[in-house]
Amino acid sequence: MFSGKTTQLIATVNSFRSEGKTVFVFKPKLDTRYADKSVVSHDKNEVDAYSVEKSIEILDYHLNADVIAIDEVQFFDERLVEVVETLANAGKTVVTAGLDMDYLGRPFGAIPMLLTIADEVKKLNSVCTFCSGRARFSHRISQDNGIVVLGEKDKYVPLCRSCYNELKDK
Ligand SMILES: [Zn+2]
């Protein structure tokens, strides 16, 4: 989190569009952090997006697109993997962005399968809140119990492995 993954996704979308490609952007419906019909990065870059509840709905829209971009994939159901493969087999370029681990450091949603089938994987890191080291973990500082708590700055802090391990049992 705070690693610039949405910023990176938006840059990729814009780059495909500048090549004349038609790009459709999707996100899970639960993400209402900033706006419902767009994907917005923490630095307030923005592209229009379809919000869908189930990953299978992406297949209803894809026919006229060259490229399908999907944000926050960790919050989608596991059928996303099948959807992504269907799109790739139909000749579409599929770009996904998501958080690889939940706040307990466990693989998140369909991410492990997506990592396995991807042609290319780019891991982004952010900076540890405490030691400025390379942060790979999200430590939850809110009291919410559900796993689907969106990555807002008041709820999570990015931590490196050693600061995460030091804090998680407190
Ligand atoms: Zn640290």
Side-chain angles (χ1 to χ4, degrees), residues 4-132:
K5 62 185 156 46
T6 299
T7 301
Q8 182 85 45
L9 185 78
I10 292 171
T12 305
V13 167
N14 289 334
S15 154
F16 277 118
R17 283 183 176 155
S18 72
E19 293 168 21
K21 300 267 203 299
T22 302
V23 186
F24 289 174
V25 184
F26 296 90
K27 62 174 187 171
K29 204 160 217 165
L30 51 91
D31 186 353
T32 52
R33 254 184 297 179
Y34 303 99
D36 201 32
K37 292 199 165 74
S38 57
V39 165
V40 185
S41 63
H42 289 291
D43 56 2
K44 302 286 188 279
N45 279 314
E46 188 170 347
V47 290
D48 288 345
Y50 296 100
S51 294
V52 293
E53 261 171 62
K54 294 184 180 141
S55 60
I56 198 85
E57 293 171 54
I58 295 171
L59 296 180
D60 296 340
Y61 296 85
H62 79 282
L63 279 177
N64 299 317
D66 304 306
V67 179
I68 307 289
I70 313 169
D71 197 21
E72 303 285 4
V73 286
Q74 75 277 6
F75 292 135
F76 273 110
D77 54 278
E78 307 231 336
R79 285 193 80 183
L80 183 65
V81 177
E82 189 187 318
V83 168
V84 164
E85 285 198 299
T86 302
L87 293 168
N89 290 338
K92 312 293 178 184
T93 299
V94 185
V95 184
T96 65
L99 194 58
D100 53 1
M101 291 186 287
D102 68 17
Y103 75 105
L104 295 171
R106 300 176 304 197
F108 212 153
I111 292 272
M113 278 298 287
L114 289 172
L115 286 169
T116 306
I117 64 171
D119 296 329
E120 206 177 301
V121 174
K122 188 171 191 176
K123 285 214 178 195
L124 302 171
N125 297 294
S126 92
V127 176
C128 177
T129 303
F130 293 106
C131 73
S132 301

Side-chain angles (χ1 to χ4, degrees), residues 1 99-108 136-142 144-149 155-157 159 161 164-165 167-170:
M1 61 184 327
L99 194 58
D100 53 1
M101 291 186 287
D102 68 17
Y103 75 105
L104 295 171
R106 300 176 304 197
F108 212 153
R136 293 274 303 121
F137 292 83
S138 308
H139 180 65
R140 177 136 67 181
I141 49 178
S142 90
D144 290 306
N145 289 318
I147 218 135
V148 180
V149 174
K155 293 199 172 144
Y156 290 97
V157 289
L159 295 179
R161 183 178 289 273
Y164 173 81
N165 283 334
L167 267 168
K168 75 173 178 188
D169 299 322
K170 286 184 180 166

